Amino acid sequence: MGEVERTASAFPTAIGANAPAMDMTQMLFNPFLPEVHADPYPHYRRLRETEPIHQPFPGAFMLSRHRDVVPLLRSPNVSSDRRKSPMYDLFLQSLPDPERFQNIPPSMLFLDPPDHTRLRGLVNKAFTARVVDSMRPRVQAIVDGILDEVGERGSLDIVADLAYPIPVTVICDLFGVPNEDRAQVKRWSLDLIYTLDPLVAGDRLEKAAEAGMAFREYLRGLIADRRSQHGDGFLSALIQAEEEGERLTDEEIVSMCVLLLIAGHETTSGLIGNGMLALGRHPDELRRLREVLTEDPQAIRPAVEELLRFDAPVQLTGRLVLEPIDVDGVRIEPGNDVITLLGGANRDPEVFEDPERLDVTRKTNHHVSFGGGIHFCLGAPLARVEGQIAIGELVRRFPSLEIDTETAQLRDTVTLRGLTSLPAAV
Ligand code: HEM
């Protein structure tokens, strides 16, 4: 099973270790309750207003205000490396094969400097805004291909037909995955996303473990192939970086690729799906967006930022405290986990005017949907390009688009917020 948790839960030590012993129905904020899951925003508001530095159980804190979340993510006194947690040994003991788990190198998302700095430095170049801008024509071609067909058919599922295929196709392009393997990569990716959630049911975890092993094995083959061919793609560049003395092992490359696939797939689908759902629920804003786009195609940029703020695809992330920290006068000791509620910070009235309102032309928008600090989303420029083209084209091309918000299906994950289905007629 080990493959999985290496790419896994933002805070396995906190909820994973403590949750079974506690009565979750008593929690001030319990993201697993169906009504909270369906609409967490009133609950974030209550937290911000009543207990902004909330302790759901001993060993964990939850932050919901922008002014607390941002400094925490930037603090040098916290860690993303779960191996440094006092609970880590307990966690290892709970695994059927701890040794195997320990042999898998963690991806950079779960590392601190200097390892994090080294790994991020190696891939940064491939994801800068400039490089990603050069990918616009390819993303446009993917979206056009899908929407041409939709136009003929008259309907689509915004999630299954548009939001899912775009990011996985782009990542497969990047890795040089042959066409015939892409459906398989997509299936693995869908199974793997459950590993990002704090509590995962056994059968899901097992499926995810199998997908993780199969995908890693597949990537090893792809890397061996590139090694023999000396190509100039993304994988070849990573291999060469290793050969230039950067010490990136094959297993590190594999972990990097698994991270890029998982981190970019469900999240970007979430942006497109949640964004279109929000527009479907606010038809006036959908109309406004269509109008402003006819005058200025660049208006899609602030609109996508607003959709990211309004219903963030990543709702929370966690850090382990290494040195004492002070959050608005509350001292948090080493060994505690701190969960930052990104979705809560995004609706903070201290930072956003009329925060519960969707405003596709919102001017200043310091949302935290891409996190902050050294782990700030590496793929943000790419996600933005994909979101802008997909949402922009859908709105522009189909003036009588009808989004069936009533039958939208919410995915049952808590860290990642997204849909499994959003039918629409064009
Ligand atoms: C709308 C889409 C996306 C959202 C909302 C999103 C959100 C995030 C967030 C919140 C983090 C920080 C997690 C933390 O601090 O614990 C993160 C990190 C990361 N994201 Fe994204 N992401 C998106 C798309 C992508 C894409 C398309 C890619 C790559 C293809 C990507 C790759 C990464 C990587 C590699 C990291 C780890 C960075 C590091 O540890 O330094 N993401 N993302």
Side-chain angles (χ1 to χ4, degrees):
M1 84 130 68
E3 315 275 330
V4 178
E5 294 83 356
R6 265 304 182 226
T7 56
S9 169
F11 40 96
T13 52
I15 291 190
N18 293 326
M22 64 196 198
D23 179 358
M24 306 237 322
T25 58
Q26 299 303 314
M27 286 168 76
L28 180 60
F29 171 72
N30 177 358
F32 299 100
L33 286 178
E35 63 273 25
V36 180
H37 185 242
D39 182 9
Y41 298 104
H43 304 271
Y44 293 149
R45 181 179 179 169
R46 190 153 60 105
L47 272 180
R48 273 193 323 265
E49 287 173 356
T50 60
E51 262 188 67
I53 303 157
H54 173 56
Q55 193 166 18
F57 45 84
F61 289 82
M62 273 181 185
L63 309 181
S64 47
R65 286 188 309 206
H66 197 279
R67 67 161 125 142
D68 299 326
V69 165
V70 170
L72 190 280
L73 292 176
R74 291 182 184 159
S75 170
N77 292 352
V78 300
S79 167
S80 291
D81 188 342
R82 315 320 292 174
R83 295 169 303 179
K84 295 179 181 169
S85 166
M87 300 285 197
Y88 187 67
D89 281 347
L90 262 181
F91 168 66
L92 274 184
Q93 282 163 27
S94 72
L95 301 176
D97 191 352
E99 201 173 315
R100 171 175 188 155
F101 175 75
Q102 283 173 293
N103 286 337
I104 298 169
S107 69
M108 66 175 149
L109 183 57
F110 297 100
L111 285 172
D112 297 335
D115 289 330
H116 170 265
T117 323
R118 177 176 64 94
L119 291 174
R120 184 153 173 145
L122 286 167
V123 279
N124 242 345
K125 286 193 287 277
F127 288 95
T128 59
R130 202 169 53 86
V131 172
V132 168
D133 234 33
S134 71
M135 292 157 85
R136 273 184 186 270
R138 173 62 185 144
V139 177
Q140 184 74 48
I142 297 168
V143 171
D144 284 345
I146 295 170
L147 294 186
D148 286 349
E149 263 181 45
V150 166
E152 284 163 27
R153 214 167 52 222
S155 68
L156 84 160
D157 187 314
I158 292 174
V159 176
D161 298 330
L162 186 72
Y164 274 159
I166 298 170
V168 80
T169 307
V170 171
I171 286 293
C172 284
D173 278 0
L174 193 74
F175 294 171
V177 173
N179 277 341
E180 61 272 22
D181 299 340
R182 291 184 175 204
Q184 179 61 64
V185 171
K186 209 165 136 187
R187 282 195 291 274
W188 285 327
S189 183
L190 287 180
D191 283 342
L192 275 165
I193 60 151
Y194 285 97
T195 63
L196 285 164
D197 243 51
L199 276 184
V200 186
D203 56 332
R204 288 255 164 78
L205 201 57
E206 221 145 89
K207 247 184 143 185
E210 278 167 29
M213 277 187 285
F215 185 45
R216 291 186 83 93
E217 194 50 41
Y218 176 77
L219 286 167
R220 284 182 199 110
L222 218 53
I223 292 165
D225 199 48
R226 289 304 177 288
R227 221 179 250 296
S228 62
Q229 286 176 14
H230 292 289
D232 57 0
F234 173 77
L235 273 187
S236 302
L238 280 186
I239 293 165
Q240 278 151 26
E242 174 199 359
E243 284 166 354
E244 281 157 17
E246 293 277 350
R247 294 191 359 260
L248 199 59
T249 65
D250 274 14
E251 285 308 295
E252 279 179 321
I253 298 177
V254 168
S255 290
M256 177 80 78
C257 292
V258 175
L259 173 67
L260 290 173
L261 179 77
I262 309 181
H265 188 184
E266 188 63 21
T267 49
T268 310
S269 307
L271 160 60
I272 299 167
N274 300 0
M276 290 310 300
L277 177 64
L279 290 172
R281 285 178 174 164
H282 299 82
D284 289 351
E285 287 301 295
L286 176 56
R287 255 192 309 277
R288 262 185 84 212
L289 178 57
R290 193 169 287 125
E291 276 164 25
V292 291
L293 284 179
T294 48
E295 277 162 32
D296 175 16
Q298 298 299 322
I300 193 62
R301 291 173 188 249
V304 162
E305 296 310 303
E306 174 67 347
L307 295 171
L308 279 163
R309 179 195 75 85
F310 193 75
D311 201 10
V314 180
Q315 287 283 307
L316 52 92
T317 184
R319 294 290 187 271
L320 173 71
V321 177
L322 294 182
E323 298 290 333
I325 54 168
D326 183 290
V327 182
D328 202 35
V330 176
R331 187 180 155 99
I332 304 182
E333 298 295 337
N336 279 285
D337 276 289
V338 183
I339 296 149
T340 57
L341 298 170
L342 305 176
N346 279 346
R347 300 270 187 119
D348 189 336
E350 281 182 7
V351 175
F352 304 99
E353 203 185 312
D354 207 355
E356 308 293 339
R357 196 168 86 85
L358 179 72
D359 174 1
V360 291
T361 59
R362 192 179 283 275
K363 296 272 176 315
T364 41
N365 199 335
H366 300 293
H367 67 74
V368 288
S369 298
F370 290 121
I374 59 169
H375 293 279
F376 180 85
C377 179
L378 177 85
L382 179 57
R384 285 180 162 129
V385 164
E386 293 177 21
Q388 288 161 8
I389 294 178
I391 295 172
E393 277 302 300
L394 200 49
V395 170
R396 196 185 60 80
R397 275 197 189 207
F398 304 114
S400 49
L401 179 71
E402 270 179 43
I403 303 165
D404 187 354
T405 57
E406 291 302 311
T407 56
Q409 295 291 321
L410 198 58
R411 184 172 275 291
D412 61 354
T413 46
V414 167
T415 303
L416 298 185
R417 182 169 179 79
L419 303 172
T420 53
S421 172
L422 180 60
V426 303

